[in-house]
PDB file of all heavy atoms in Angstrom:
ATOM      1  N   ALA A   1     -11.268  -5.106  -6.988  1.00 98.00           N
ATOM      2  CA  ALA A   1     -11.566  -6.528  -7.232  1.00 98.00           C
ATOM      3  C   ALA A   1     -11.224  -7.395  -6.018  1.00 98.00           C
ATOM      4  O   ALA A   1     -11.319  -8.621  -6.078  1.00 98.00           O
ATOM      5  CB  ALA A   1     -10.796  -7.015  -8.454  1.00 98.00           C
ATOM      6  N   GLY A   2     -10.813  -6.747  -4.912  1.00 98.00           N
ATOM      7  CA  GLY A   2     -10.559  -7.479  -3.670  1.00 98.00           C
ATOM      8  C   GLY A   2      -9.201  -8.134  -3.570  1.00 98.00           C
ATOM      9  O   GLY A   2      -8.997  -9.046  -2.763  1.00 98.00           O
ATOM     10  N   LYS A   3      -8.251  -7.684  -4.388  1.00 98.00           N
ATOM     11  CA  LYS A   3      -6.900  -8.270  -4.361  1.00 98.00           C
ATOM     12  C   LYS A   3      -6.017  -7.538  -3.354  1.00 98.00           C
ATOM     13  O   LYS A   3      -6.053  -6.306  -3.266  1.00 98.00           O
ATOM     14  CB  LYS A   3      -6.230  -8.182  -5.736  1.00 98.00           C
ATOM     15  CG  LYS A   3      -7.106  -8.544  -6.926  1.00 98.00           C
ATOM     16  CD  LYS A   3      -7.554  -9.978  -6.908  1.00 98.00           C
ATOM     17  CE  LYS A   3      -8.311 -10.321  -8.195  1.00 98.00           C
ATOM     18  NZ  LYS A   3      -8.917 -11.654  -8.137  1.00 98.00           N
ATOM     19  N   ASP A   4      -5.202  -8.279  -2.612  1.00 98.00           N
ATOM     20  CA  ASP A   4      -4.156  -7.648  -1.818  1.00 98.00           C
ATOM     21  C   ASP A   4      -3.068  -7.141  -2.761  1.00 98.00           C
ATOM     22  O   ASP A   4      -2.877  -7.683  -3.861  1.00 98.00           O
ATOM     23  CB  ASP A   4      -3.559  -8.644  -0.817  1.00 98.00           C
ATOM     24  CG  ASP A   4      -4.520  -8.977   0.322  1.00 98.00           C
ATOM     25  OD1 ASP A   4      -5.410  -8.152   0.615  1.00 98.00           O
ATOM     26  OD2 ASP A   4      -4.387 -10.069   0.906  1.00 98.00           O
ATOM     27  N   ILE A   5      -2.342  -6.108  -2.327  1.00 98.00           N
ATOM     28  CA  ILE A   5      -1.327  -5.474  -3.171  1.00 98.00           C
ATOM     29  C   ILE A   5       0.058  -5.610  -2.532  1.00 98.00           C
ATOM     30  O   ILE A   5       0.256  -5.212  -1.383  1.00 98.00           O
ATOM     31  CB  ILE A   5      -1.634  -3.968  -3.374  1.00 98.00           C
ATOM     32  CG1 ILE A   5      -3.058  -3.747  -3.905  1.00 98.00           C
ATOM     33  CG2 ILE A   5      -0.597  -3.339  -4.300  1.00 98.00           C
ATOM     34  CD1 ILE A   5      -3.320  -4.321  -5.282  1.00 98.00           C
ATOM     35  N   ALA A   6       1.000  -6.191  -3.280  1.00 98.00           N
ATOM     36  CA  ALA A   6       2.417  -6.134  -2.911  1.00 98.00           C
ATOM     37  C   ALA A   6       2.979  -4.954  -3.701  1.00 98.00           C
ATOM     38  O   ALA A   6       3.212  -5.053  -4.910  1.00 98.00           O
ATOM     39  CB  ALA A   6       3.129  -7.437  -3.268  1.00 98.00           C
ATOM     40  N   LEU A   7       3.143  -3.826  -3.030  1.00 96.00           N
ATOM     41  CA  LEU A   7       3.349  -2.552  -3.711  1.00 96.00           C
ATOM     42  C   LEU A   7       4.816  -2.227  -3.937  1.00 96.00           C
ATOM     43  O   LEU A   7       5.568  -2.009  -2.996  1.00 96.00           O
ATOM     44  CB  LEU A   7       2.693  -1.425  -2.902  1.00 96.00           C
ATOM     45  CG  LEU A   7       2.715  -0.044  -3.534  1.00 96.00           C
ATOM     46  CD1 LEU A   7       1.802   0.004  -4.761  1.00 96.00           C
ATOM     47  CD2 LEU A   7       2.290   1.018  -2.531  1.00 96.00           C
ATOM     48  N   ALA A   8       5.209  -2.187  -5.224  1.00 93.00           N
ATOM     49  CA  ALA A   8       6.551  -1.740  -5.584  1.00 93.00           C
ATOM     50  C   ALA A   8       6.500  -0.515  -6.484  1.00 93.00           C
ATOM     51  O   ALA A   8       7.523   0.100  -6.760  1.00 93.00           O
ATOM     52  CB  ALA A   8       7.322  -2.859  -6.281  1.00 93.00           C
ATOM     53  N   ASN A   9       5.293  -0.161  -6.950  1.00 88.00           N
ATOM     54  CA  ASN A   9       5.128   1.006  -7.813  1.00 88.00           C
ATOM     55  C   ASN A   9       4.945   2.247  -6.944  1.00 88.00           C
ATOM     56  O   ASN A   9       3.889   2.463  -6.368  1.00 88.00           O
ATOM     57  CB  ASN A   9       3.922   0.811  -8.742  1.00 88.00           C
ATOM     58  CG  ASN A   9       3.557   2.073  -9.502  1.00 88.00           C
ATOM     59  OD1 ASN A   9       2.581   2.730  -9.180  1.00 88.00           O
ATOM     60  ND2 ASN A   9       4.333   2.421 -10.496  1.00 88.00           N
ATOM     61  N   LYS A  10       6.003   3.049  -6.810  1.00 85.00           N
ATOM     62  CA  LYS A  10       5.974   4.200  -5.920  1.00 85.00           C
ATOM     63  C   LYS A  10       4.884   5.203  -6.292  1.00 85.00           C
ATOM     64  O   LYS A  10       4.226   5.784  -5.440  1.00 85.00           O
ATOM     65  CB  LYS A  10       7.322   4.928  -5.972  1.00 85.00           C
ATOM     66  CG  LYS A  10       8.493   4.152  -5.431  1.00 85.00           C
ATOM     67  CD  LYS A  10       9.754   4.992  -5.515  1.00 85.00           C
ATOM     68  CE  LYS A  10      10.995   4.182  -5.257  1.00 85.00           C
ATOM     69  NZ  LYS A  10      10.986   3.457  -4.000  1.00 85.00           N
ATOM     70  N   GLU A  11       4.715   5.390  -7.607  1.00 83.00           N
ATOM     71  CA  GLU A  11       3.862   6.471  -8.076  1.00 83.00           C
ATOM     72  C   GLU A  11       2.398   6.296  -7.678  1.00 83.00           C
ATOM     73  O   GLU A  11       1.647   7.267  -7.581  1.00 83.00           O
ATOM     74  CB  GLU A  11       3.991   6.599  -9.598  1.00 83.00           C
ATOM     75  CG  GLU A  11       5.351   7.079 -10.070  1.00 83.00           C
ATOM     76  CD  GLU A  11       6.433   6.001 -10.086  1.00 83.00           C
ATOM     77  OE1 GLU A  11       6.115   4.821  -9.839  1.00 83.00           O
ATOM     78  OE2 GLU A  11       7.603   6.346 -10.338  1.00 83.00           O
ATOM     79  N   THR A  12       1.981   5.052  -7.433  1.00 89.00           N
ATOM     80  CA  THR A  12       0.595   4.797  -7.039  1.00 89.00           C
ATOM     81  C   THR A  12       0.233   5.593  -5.793  1.00 89.00           C
ATOM     82  O   THR A  12      -0.796   6.269  -5.750  1.00 89.00           O
ATOM     83  CB  THR A  12       0.378   3.288  -6.783  1.00 89.00           C
ATOM     84  OG1 THR A  12       0.558   2.597  -8.019  1.00 89.00           O
ATOM     85  CG2 THR A  12      -1.020   3.014  -6.268  1.00 89.00           C
ATOM     86  N   LEU A  13       1.078   5.528  -4.766  1.00 94.00           N
ATOM     87  CA  LEU A  13       0.790   6.256  -3.536  1.00 94.00           C
ATOM     88  C   LEU A  13       1.247   7.706  -3.596  1.00 94.00           C
ATOM     89  O   LEU A  13       0.665   8.574  -2.954  1.00 94.00           O
ATOM     90  CB  LEU A  13       1.443   5.569  -2.332  1.00 94.00           C
ATOM     91  CG  LEU A  13       0.751   4.294  -1.839  1.00 94.00           C
ATOM     92  CD1 LEU A  13       1.462   3.744  -0.603  1.00 94.00           C
ATOM     93  CD2 LEU A  13      -0.719   4.530  -1.518  1.00 94.00           C
ATOM     94  N   VAL A  14       2.287   7.985  -4.380  1.00 93.00           N
ATOM     95  CA  VAL A  14       2.753   9.361  -4.508  1.00 93.00           C
ATOM     96  C   VAL A  14       1.672  10.226  -5.148  1.00 93.00           C
ATOM     97  O   VAL A  14       1.321  11.298  -4.652  1.00 93.00           O
ATOM     98  CB  VAL A  14       4.047   9.429  -5.339  1.00 93.00           C
ATOM     99  CG1 VAL A  14       4.397  10.876  -5.696  1.00 93.00           C
ATOM    100  CG2 VAL A  14       5.195   8.794  -4.573  1.00 93.00           C
ATOM    101  N   SER A  15       1.110   9.760  -6.248  1.00 92.00           N
ATOM    102  CA  SER A  15       0.132  10.550  -6.985  1.00 92.00           C
ATOM    103  C   SER A  15      -1.288  10.382  -6.458  1.00 92.00           C
ATOM    104  O   SER A  15      -2.077  11.319  -6.489  1.00 92.00           O
ATOM    105  CB  SER A  15       0.156  10.163  -8.473  1.00 92.00           C
ATOM    106  OG  SER A  15       1.402  10.469  -9.053  1.00 92.00           O
ATOM    107  N   ALA A  16      -1.621   9.175  -5.989  1.00 93.00           N
ATOM    108  CA  ALA A  16      -3.019   8.869  -5.663  1.00 93.00           C
ATOM    109  C   ALA A  16      -3.179   8.301  -4.256  1.00 93.00           C
ATOM    110  O   ALA A  16      -4.114   7.556  -3.993  1.00 93.00           O
ATOM    111  CB  ALA A  16      -3.575   7.891  -6.697  1.00 93.00           C
ATOM    112  N   GLY A  17      -2.268   8.692  -3.346  1.00 94.00           N
ATOM    113  CA  GLY A  17      -2.253   8.098  -2.011  1.00 94.00           C
ATOM    114  C   GLY A  17      -3.582   8.146  -1.287  1.00 94.00           C
ATOM    115  O   GLY A  17      -4.055   7.127  -0.764  1.00 94.00           O
ATOM    116  N   GLU A  18      -4.207   9.316  -1.267  1.00 93.00           N
ATOM    117  CA  GLU A  18      -5.464   9.466  -0.530  1.00 93.00           C
ATOM    118  C   GLU A  18      -6.551   8.571  -1.111  1.00 93.00           C
ATOM    119  O   GLU A  18      -7.260   7.873  -0.381  1.00 93.00           O
ATOM    120  CB  GLU A  18      -5.909  10.935  -0.569  1.00 93.00           C
ATOM    121  CG  GLU A  18      -7.114  11.222   0.300  1.00 93.00           C
ATOM    122  CD  GLU A  18      -7.464  12.699   0.337  1.00 93.00           C
ATOM    123  OE1 GLU A  18      -6.925  13.475  -0.480  1.00 93.00           O
ATOM    124  OE2 GLU A  18      -8.280  13.074   1.198  1.00 93.00           O
ATOM    125  N   LEU A  19      -6.672   8.553  -2.445  1.00 94.00           N
ATOM    126  CA  LEU A  19      -7.697   7.731  -3.095  1.00 94.00           C
ATOM    127  C   LEU A  19      -7.423   6.244  -2.890  1.00 94.00           C
ATOM    128  O   LEU A  19      -8.347   5.460  -2.655  1.00 94.00           O
ATOM    129  CB  LEU A  19      -7.755   8.047  -4.596  1.00 94.00           C
ATOM    130  CG  LEU A  19      -8.147   9.480  -4.992  1.00 94.00           C
ATOM    131  CD1 LEU A  19      -8.155   9.620  -6.507  1.00 94.00           C
ATOM    132  CD2 LEU A  19      -9.499   9.861  -4.414  1.00 94.00           C
ATOM    133  N   ILE A  20      -6.155   5.853  -2.989  1.00 95.00           N
ATOM    134  CA  ILE A  20      -5.791   4.441  -2.841  1.00 95.00           C
ATOM    135  C   ILE A  20      -6.056   3.959  -1.414  1.00 95.00           C
ATOM    136  O   ILE A  20      -6.655   2.891  -1.201  1.00 95.00           O
ATOM    137  CB  ILE A  20      -4.305   4.220  -3.221  1.00 95.00           C
ATOM    138  CG1 ILE A  20      -4.104   4.422  -4.736  1.00 95.00           C
ATOM    139  CG2 ILE A  20      -3.832   2.828  -2.790  1.00 95.00           C
ATOM    140  CD1 ILE A  20      -4.716   3.381  -5.632  1.00 95.00           C
ATOM    141  N   ILE A  21      -5.632   4.722  -0.417  1.00 96.00           N
ATOM    142  CA  ILE A  21      -5.819   4.309   0.981  1.00 96.00           C
ATOM    143  C   ILE A  21      -7.309   4.240   1.322  1.00 96.00           C
ATOM    144  O   ILE A  21      -7.754   3.316   2.022  1.00 96.00           O
ATOM    145  CB  ILE A  21      -5.063   5.251   1.944  1.00 96.00           C
ATOM    146  CG1 ILE A  21      -3.552   5.129   1.727  1.00 96.00           C
ATOM    147  CG2 ILE A  21      -5.427   4.951   3.392  1.00 96.00           C
ATOM    148  CD1 ILE A  21      -2.982   3.731   1.897  1.00 96.00           C
ATOM    149  N   ASN A  22      -8.089   5.186   0.827  1.00 96.00           N
ATOM    150  CA  ASN A  22      -9.542   5.129   1.044  1.00 96.00           C
ATOM    151  C   ASN A  22     -10.138   3.876   0.414  1.00 96.00           C
ATOM    152  O   ASN A  22     -11.018   3.227   0.994  1.00 96.00           O
ATOM    153  CB  ASN A  22     -10.224   6.379   0.476  1.00 96.00           C
ATOM    154  CG  ASN A  22      -9.951   7.617   1.311  1.00 96.00           C
ATOM    155  OD1 ASN A  22      -9.551   7.506   2.470  1.00 96.00           O
ATOM    156  ND2 ASN A  22     -10.155   8.785   0.738  1.00 96.00           N
ATOM    157  N   ALA A  23      -9.654   3.519  -0.780  1.00 96.00           N
ATOM    158  CA  ALA A  23     -10.157   2.315  -1.465  1.00 96.00           C
ATOM    159  C   ALA A  23      -9.750   1.050  -0.714  1.00 96.00           C
ATOM    160  O   ALA A  23     -10.538   0.103  -0.597  1.00 96.00           O
ATOM    161  CB  ALA A  23      -9.626   2.271  -2.902  1.00 96.00           C
ATOM    162  N   VAL A  24      -8.532   1.028  -0.187  1.00 97.00           N
ATOM    163  CA  VAL A  24      -8.049  -0.121   0.600  1.00 97.00           C
ATOM    164  C   VAL A  24      -8.975  -0.365   1.794  1.00 97.00           C
ATOM    165  O   VAL A  24      -9.362  -1.500   2.088  1.00 97.00           O
ATOM    166  CB  VAL A  24      -6.591   0.120   1.062  1.00 97.00           C
ATOM    167  CG1 VAL A  24      -6.204  -0.826   2.189  1.00 97.00           C
ATOM    168  CG2 VAL A  24      -5.632  -0.051  -0.112  1.00 97.00           C
ATOM    169  N   LYS A  25      -9.346   0.715   2.475  1.00 97.00           N
ATOM    170  CA  LYS A  25     -10.256   0.606   3.622  1.00 97.00           C
ATOM    171  C   LYS A  25     -11.650   0.157   3.177  1.00 97.00           C
ATOM    172  O   LYS A  25     -12.268  -0.712   3.801  1.00 97.00           O
ATOM    173  CB  LYS A  25     -10.341   1.949   4.352  1.00 97.00           C
ATOM    174  CG  LYS A  25      -9.049   2.344   5.063  1.00 97.00           C
ATOM    175  CD  LYS A  25      -9.144   3.751   5.633  1.00 97.00           C
ATOM    176  CE  LYS A  25      -7.828   4.171   6.281  1.00 97.00           C
ATOM    177  NZ  LYS A  25      -7.846   5.594   6.701  1.00 97.00           N
ATOM    178  N   LYS A  26     -12.119   0.730   2.088  1.00 98.00           N
ATOM    179  CA  LYS A  26     -13.469   0.422   1.595  1.00 98.00           C
ATOM    180  C   LYS A  26     -13.606  -1.039   1.189  1.00 98.00           C
ATOM    181  O   LYS A  26     -14.613  -1.690   1.491  1.00 98.00           O
ATOM    182  CB  LYS A  26     -13.805   1.338   0.412  1.00 98.00           C
ATOM    183  CG  LYS A  26     -15.192   1.085  -0.187  1.00 98.00           C
ATOM    184  CD  LYS A  26     -15.488   2.053  -1.322  1.00 98.00           C
ATOM    185  CE  LYS A  26     -16.858   1.770  -1.945  1.00 98.00           C
ATOM    186  NZ  LYS A  26     -17.151   2.711  -3.055  1.00 98.00           N
ATOM    187  N   TYR A  27     -12.602  -1.574   0.501  1.00 98.00           N
ATOM    188  CA  TYR A  27     -12.695  -2.931  -0.046  1.00 98.00           C
ATOM    189  C   TYR A  27     -12.037  -3.990   0.850  1.00 98.00           C
ATOM    190  O   TYR A  27     -12.030  -5.172   0.499  1.00 98.00           O
ATOM    191  CB  TYR A  27     -12.123  -2.968  -1.462  1.00 98.00           C
ATOM    192  CG  TYR A  27     -12.951  -2.149  -2.432  1.00 98.00           C
ATOM    193  CD1 TYR A  27     -12.558  -0.856  -2.795  1.00 98.00           C
ATOM    194  CD2 TYR A  27     -14.152  -2.638  -2.948  1.00 98.00           C
ATOM    195  CE1 TYR A  27     -13.323  -0.082  -3.660  1.00 98.00           C
ATOM    196  CE2 TYR A  27     -14.921  -1.872  -3.817  1.00 98.00           C
ATOM    197  CZ  TYR A  27     -14.510  -0.598  -4.161  1.00 98.00           C
ATOM    198  OH  TYR A  27     -15.284   0.170  -5.014  1.00 98.00           O
ATOM    199  N   GLY A  28     -11.479  -3.548   1.986  1.00 98.00           N
ATOM    200  CA  GLY A  28     -10.961  -4.495   2.971  1.00 98.00           C
ATOM    201  C   GLY A  28      -9.770  -5.322   2.523  1.00 98.00           C
ATOM    202  O   GLY A  28      -9.636  -6.492   2.880  1.00 98.00           O
ATOM    203  N   VAL A  29      -8.886  -4.709   1.724  1.00 98.00           N
ATOM    204  CA  VAL A  29      -7.691  -5.431   1.273  1.00 98.00           C
ATOM    205  C   VAL A  29      -6.475  -4.924   2.035  1.00 98.00           C
ATOM    206  O   VAL A  29      -6.542  -3.967   2.803  1.00 98.00           O
ATOM    207  CB  VAL A  29      -7.486  -5.271  -0.254  1.00 98.00           C
ATOM    208  CG1 VAL A  29      -8.693  -5.793  -1.021  1.00 98.00           C
ATOM    209  CG2 VAL A  29      -7.205  -3.818  -0.628  1.00 98.00           C
ATOM    210  N   LYS A  30      -5.333  -5.556   1.801  1.00 97.00           N
ATOM    211  CA  LYS A  30      -4.080  -5.187   2.473  1.00 97.00           C
ATOM    212  C   LYS A  30      -3.066  -4.692   1.442  1.00 97.00           C
ATOM    213  O   LYS A  30      -3.042  -5.162   0.306  1.00 97.00           O
ATOM    214  CB  LYS A  30      -3.477  -6.399   3.191  1.00 97.00           C
ATOM    215  CG  LYS A  30      -4.408  -7.046   4.204  1.00 97.00           C
ATOM    216  CD  LYS A  30      -4.405  -6.296   5.503  1.00 97.00           C
ATOM    217  CE  LYS A  30      -5.114  -7.088   6.583  1.00 97.00           C
ATOM    218  NZ  LYS A  30      -6.064  -6.295   7.343  1.00 97.00           N
ATOM    219  N   ILE A  31      -2.232  -3.754   1.877  1.00 97.00           N
ATOM    220  CA  ILE A  31      -1.060  -3.363   1.087  1.00 97.00           C
ATOM    221  C   ILE A  31       0.180  -3.846   1.824  1.00 97.00           C
ATOM    222  O   ILE A  31       0.385  -3.521   3.001  1.00 97.00           O
ATOM    223  CB  ILE A  31      -0.971  -1.838   0.881  1.00 97.00           C
ATOM    224  CG1 ILE A  31      -2.104  -1.341  -0.003  1.00 97.00           C
ATOM    225  CG2 ILE A  31       0.377  -1.474   0.251  1.00 97.00           C
ATOM    226  CD1 ILE A  31      -2.023   0.145  -0.345  1.00 97.00           C
ATOM    227  N   TYR A  32       0.986  -4.654   1.145  1.00 97.00           N
ATOM    228  CA  TYR A  32       2.252  -5.123   1.696  1.00 97.00           C
ATOM    229  C   TYR A  32       3.378  -4.416   0.945  1.00 97.00           C
ATOM    230  O   TYR A  32       3.549  -4.619  -0.260  1.00 97.00           O
ATOM    231  CB  TYR A  32       2.379  -6.639   1.555  1.00 97.00           C
ATOM    232  CG  TYR A  32       1.293  -7.380   2.288  1.00 97.00           C
ATOM    233  CD1 TYR A  32       0.317  -8.096   1.587  1.00 97.00           C
ATOM    234  CD2 TYR A  32       1.216  -7.359   3.680  1.00 97.00           C
ATOM    235  CE1 TYR A  32      -0.695  -8.771   2.260  1.00 97.00           C
ATOM    236  CE2 TYR A  32       0.204  -8.035   4.360  1.00 97.00           C
ATOM    237  CZ  TYR A  32      -0.744  -8.730   3.643  1.00 97.00           C
ATOM    238  OH  TYR A  32      -1.751  -9.394   4.311  1.00 97.00           O
ATOM    239  N   PRO A  33       4.133  -3.537   1.616  1.00 97.00           N
ATOM    240  CA  PRO A  33       5.164  -2.771   0.916  1.00 97.00           C
ATOM    241  C   PRO A  33       6.334  -3.638   0.465  1.00 97.00           C
ATOM    242  O   PRO A  33       6.803  -4.501   1.209  1.00 97.00           O
ATOM    243  CB  PRO A  33       5.610  -1.730   1.949  1.00 97.00           C
ATOM    244  CG  PRO A  33       5.214  -2.287   3.270  1.00 97.00           C
ATOM    245  CD  PRO A  33       4.051  -3.183   3.044  1.00 97.00           C
ATOM    246  N   VAL A  34       6.793  -3.401  -0.744  1.00 96.00           N
ATOM    247  CA  VAL A  34       7.923  -4.145  -1.312  1.00 96.00           C
ATOM    248  C   VAL A  34       9.211  -3.336  -1.253  1.00 96.00           C
ATOM    249  O   VAL A  34      10.292  -3.896  -1.112  1.00 96.00           O
ATOM    250  CB  VAL A  34       7.606  -4.585  -2.764  1.00 96.00           C
ATOM    251  CG1 VAL A  34       8.854  -5.061  -3.495  1.00 96.00           C
ATOM    252  CG2 VAL A  34       6.547  -5.686  -2.757  1.00 96.00           C
ATOM    253  N   ASP A  35       9.124  -2.000  -1.346  1.00 93.00           N
ATOM    254  CA  ASP A  35      10.325  -1.183  -1.171  1.00 93.00           C
ATOM    255  C   ASP A  35      11.055  -1.622   0.093  1.00 93.00           C
ATOM    256  O   ASP A  35      10.422  -1.832   1.130  1.00 93.00           O
ATOM    257  CB  ASP A  35       9.924   0.297  -1.002  1.00 93.00           C
ATOM    258  CG  ASP A  35      10.117   1.093  -2.272  1.00 93.00           C
ATOM    259  OD1 ASP A  35      10.715   0.554  -3.213  1.00 93.00           O
ATOM    260  OD2 ASP A  35       9.670   2.251  -2.319  1.00 93.00           O
ATOM    261  N   SER A  36      12.370  -1.718   0.033  1.00 94.00           N
ATOM    262  CA  SER A  36      13.119  -2.195   1.199  1.00 94.00           C
ATOM    263  C   SER A  36      12.892  -1.298   2.414  1.00 94.00           C
ATOM    264  O   SER A  36      12.775  -1.778   3.548  1.00 94.00           O
ATOM    265  CB  SER A  36      14.617  -2.288   0.876  1.00 94.00           C
ATOM    266  OG  SER A  36      15.130  -1.018   0.542  1.00 94.00           O
ATOM    267  N   GLU A  37      12.800   0.022   2.171  1.00 95.00           N
ATOM    268  CA  GLU A  37      12.616   0.962   3.287  1.00 95.00           C
ATOM    269  C   GLU A  37      11.237   0.805   3.923  1.00 95.00           C
ATOM    270  O   GLU A  37      11.102   0.751   5.153  1.00 95.00           O
ATOM    271  CB  GLU A  37      12.804   2.408   2.801  1.00 95.00           C
ATOM    272  CG  GLU A  37      14.201   2.723   2.338  1.00 95.00           C
ATOM    273  CD  GLU A  37      14.482   2.315   0.892  1.00 95.00           C
ATOM    274  OE1 GLU A  37      13.583   1.715   0.250  1.00 95.00           O
ATOM    275  OE2 GLU A  37      15.587   2.589   0.403  1.00 95.00           O
ATOM    276  N   HIS A  38      10.208   0.712   3.102  1.00 97.00           N
ATOM    277  CA  HIS A  38       8.858   0.604   3.658  1.00 97.00           C
ATOM    278  C   HIS A  38       8.615  -0.773   4.263  1.00 97.00           C
ATOM    279  O   HIS A  38       7.890  -0.907   5.256  1.00 97.00           O
ATOM    280  CB  HIS A  38       7.819   0.919   2.581  1.00 97.00           C
ATOM    281  CG  HIS A  38       7.935   2.323   2.077  1.00 97.00           C
ATOM    282  ND1 HIS A  38       8.295   2.620   0.789  1.00 97.00           N
ATOM    283  CD2 HIS A  38       7.792   3.506   2.713  1.00 97.00           C
ATOM    284  CE1 HIS A  38       8.355   3.934   0.649  1.00 97.00           C
ATOM    285  NE2 HIS A  38       8.061   4.495   1.793  1.00 97.00           N
ATOM    286  N   SER A  39       9.234  -1.788   3.686  1.00 98.00           N
ATOM    287  CA  SER A  39       9.166  -3.123   4.289  1.00 98.00           C
ATOM    288  C   SER A  39       9.824  -3.094   5.665  1.00 98.00           C
ATOM    289  O   SER A  39       9.306  -3.688   6.627  1.00 98.00           O
ATOM    290  CB  SER A  39       9.868  -4.152   3.396  1.00 98.00           C
ATOM    291  OG  SER A  39       9.849  -5.432   4.004  1.00 98.00           O
ATOM    292  N   ALA A  40      10.941  -2.376   5.783  1.00 98.00           N
ATOM    293  CA  ALA A  40      11.642  -2.269   7.069  1.00 98.00           C
ATOM    294  C   ALA A  40      10.770  -1.574   8.109  1.00 98.00           C
ATOM    295  O   ALA A  40      10.692  -2.008   9.270  1.00 98.00           O
ATOM    296  CB  ALA A  40      12.950  -1.512   6.888  1.00 98.00           C
ATOM    297  N   ILE A  41      10.100  -0.498   7.704  1.00 98.00           N
ATOM    298  CA  ILE A  41       9.195   0.213   8.623  1.00 98.00           C
ATOM    299  C   ILE A  41       8.030  -0.698   9.012  1.00 98.00           C
ATOM    300  O   ILE A  41       7.675  -0.801  10.192  1.00 98.00           O
ATOM    301  CB  ILE A  41       8.675   1.515   7.968  1.00 98.00           C
ATOM    302  CG1 ILE A  41       9.834   2.473   7.704  1.00 98.00           C
ATOM    303  CG2 ILE A  41       7.610   2.180   8.846  1.00 98.00           C
ATOM    304  CD1 ILE A  41       9.509   3.566   6.700  1.00 98.00           C
ATOM    305  N   PHE A  42       7.461  -1.361   8.025  1.00 98.00           N
ATOM    306  CA  PHE A  42       6.359  -2.309   8.245  1.00 98.00           C
ATOM    307  C   PHE A  42       6.761  -3.368   9.274  1.00 98.00           C
ATOM    308  O   PHE A  42       6.013  -3.675  10.208  1.00 98.00           O
ATOM    309  CB  PHE A  42       6.004  -2.947   6.896  1.00 98.00           C
ATOM    310  CG  PHE A  42       4.868  -3.924   6.934  1.00 98.00           C
ATOM    311  CD1 PHE A  42       3.566  -3.513   7.142  1.00 98.00           C
ATOM    312  CD2 PHE A  42       5.100  -5.281   6.737  1.00 98.00           C
ATOM    313  CE1 PHE A  42       2.515  -4.423   7.162  1.00 98.00           C
ATOM    314  CE2 PHE A  42       4.065  -6.202   6.754  1.00 98.00           C
ATOM    315  CZ  PHE A  42       2.753  -5.765   6.965  1.00 98.00           C
ATOM    316  N   GLN A  43       7.971  -3.898   9.120  1.00 97.00           N
ATOM    317  CA  GLN A  43       8.449  -4.927  10.045  1.00 97.00           C
ATOM    318  C   GLN A  43       8.744  -4.341  11.433  1.00 97.00           C
ATOM    319  O   GLN A  43       8.497  -4.989  12.457  1.00 97.00           O
ATOM    320  CB  GLN A  43       9.702  -5.604   9.478  1.00 97.00           C
ATOM    321  CG  GLN A  43       9.411  -6.424   8.224  1.00 97.00           C
ATOM    322  CD  GLN A  43      10.667  -7.032   7.626  1.00 97.00           C
ATOM    323  OE1 GLN A  43      11.322  -7.847   8.261  1.00 97.00           O
ATOM    324  NE2 GLN A  43      11.006  -6.645   6.408  1.00 97.00           N
ATOM    325  N   SER A  44       9.241  -3.113  11.473  1.00 97.00           N
ATOM    326  CA  SER A  44       9.566  -2.474  12.754  1.00 97.00           C
ATOM    327  C   SER A  44       8.326  -2.069  13.540  1.00 97.00           C
ATOM    328  O   SER A  44       8.405  -1.796  14.741  1.00 97.00           O
ATOM    329  CB  SER A  44      10.446  -1.240  12.514  1.00 97.00           C
ATOM    330  OG  SER A  44      11.667  -1.611  11.920  1.00 97.00           O
ATOM    331  N   LEU A  45       7.182  -2.030  12.870  1.00 97.00           N
ATOM    332  CA  LEU A  45       5.916  -1.689  13.529  1.00 97.00           C
ATOM    333  C   LEU A  45       5.191  -2.911  14.092  1.00 97.00           C
ATOM    334  O   LEU A  45       4.256  -2.772  14.891  1.00 97.00           O
ATOM    335  CB  LEU A  45       4.977  -0.979  12.535  1.00 97.00           C
ATOM    336  CG  LEU A  45       5.365   0.443  12.131  1.00 97.00           C
ATOM    337  CD1 LEU A  45       4.531   0.895  10.935  1.00 97.00           C
ATOM    338  CD2 LEU A  45       5.170   1.406  13.302  1.00 97.00           C
TER     339      LEU A  45
END
């Protein structure tokens, strides 16, 4: 539906990572990580 995702649900990428990332690219949305660790990596990049 074209929504950006603030992702705190780990299982989405754990179980369906390949499908989700392909969909993110296809629909041109962004994933902003909410987990403190992934947010830290995101910021360090």
